[in-house]
Amino acid sequence: MKQEQIRDFTRRISQSNRGGLIVVTYEIILAYIADARECYDNDDYEGFHHALSYAQRGLDTLIQSLNFEYEVANNLYALYVFAKEEMAKAVIRKGLDDIERAEAVLVSLHTAFIEAAKQDHSTPLMQNTQQVYAGMTYGRNDLTETFQDPETSRGFFA
């Protein structure tokens, strides 16, 4: 994953509520799958394996966040395990067919969680973070983001 993507995901995580955090997690997983495809196309099987292992870690995060008090959690669990198994098969077989099946499931779930996140109007999970304002100014080749920090102290309060 490129450094710019990591910065963008970090910023989005710091500004996200629960629904937004799930959406960002899906996007991180899909970014690692895209990295795995790129590595496969460049005959970099070590990078292919590495990217898929990070995608599987993202799925582990989603699995650990499931609340089994709700029936839908059992269905999501089965889909997450299926996607993990398909990624494992792709590493063993060194092919993209299994990844395509896993990616199809994850893209569908990502789309569903985007819609669900639109209904979540809770406050961001991380408090005491910098506010980010995008679109106020433009750089030569891209949009410039401005960080406003009204308080000089951030982080944990004891």
Side-chain angles (χ1 to χ4, degrees):
M1 191 176 308
K2 295 178 180 64
Q3 195 65 28
E4 184 177 317
Q5 282 181 307
I6 293 171
R7 259 194 318 262
D8 181 50
F9 286 136
T10 303
R11 179 190 53 77
R12 288 180 56 204
I13 288 169
S14 72
Q15 305 294 315
S16 292
N17 57 11
R18 290 180 193 269
L21 190 59
I22 292 171
V23 171
V24 172
T25 303
Y26 274 106
E27 291 173 3
I28 290 170
I29 294 167
L30 293 172
Y32 279 121
I33 290 173
D35 287 350
R37 281 183 190 282
E38 185 178 327
C39 289
Y40 180 83
D41 291 340
N42 295 328
D43 295 327
D44 178 11
Y45 294 111
E46 184 176 328
F48 177 74
H49 180 279
H50 184 72
L52 286 181
S53 70
Y54 276 117
Q56 289 175 321
R57 287 184 194 176
L59 283 171
D60 287 337
T61 301
L62 291 174
I63 289 170
Q64 292 170 2
S65 67
L66 289 173
N67 183 353
F68 287 98
E69 293 177 10
Y70 300 100
E71 188 176 329
V72 71
N74 293 318
N75 298 332
L76 288 171
Y77 178 77
L79 291 170
Y80 294 155
V81 169
F82 170 78
K84 277 188 71 166
E85 288 173 354
E86 292 299 305
M87 287 183 207
K89 289 178 192 175
V91 170
I92 292 168
R93 295 177 184 165
K94 294 182 180 176
L96 294 178
D97 292 339
D98 301 306
I99 290 178
E100 290 174 3
R101 286 188 290 275
E103 188 175 28
V105 168
L106 294 172
V107 166
S108 296
L109 290 171
H110 175 248
T111 304
F113 273 102
I114 287 174
E115 292 303 315
K118 289 178 183 176
Q119 298 174 9
D120 185 1
H121 301 292
S122 61
T123 60
L125 292 173
M126 295 178 74
Q127 304 297 321
N128 204 28
T129 60
Q130 288 179 323
Q131 288 291 353
V132 179
Y133 299 97
M136 296 178 78
T137 60
Y138 294 89
R140 183 176 203 136
N141 297 320
D142 58 356
L143 178 71
T144 302
E145 294 179 341
T146 304
F147 296 94
Q148 297 283 328
D149 194 11
E151 299 177 19
T152 58
S153 174
R154 292 188 311 133
F156 296 104
F157 290 112

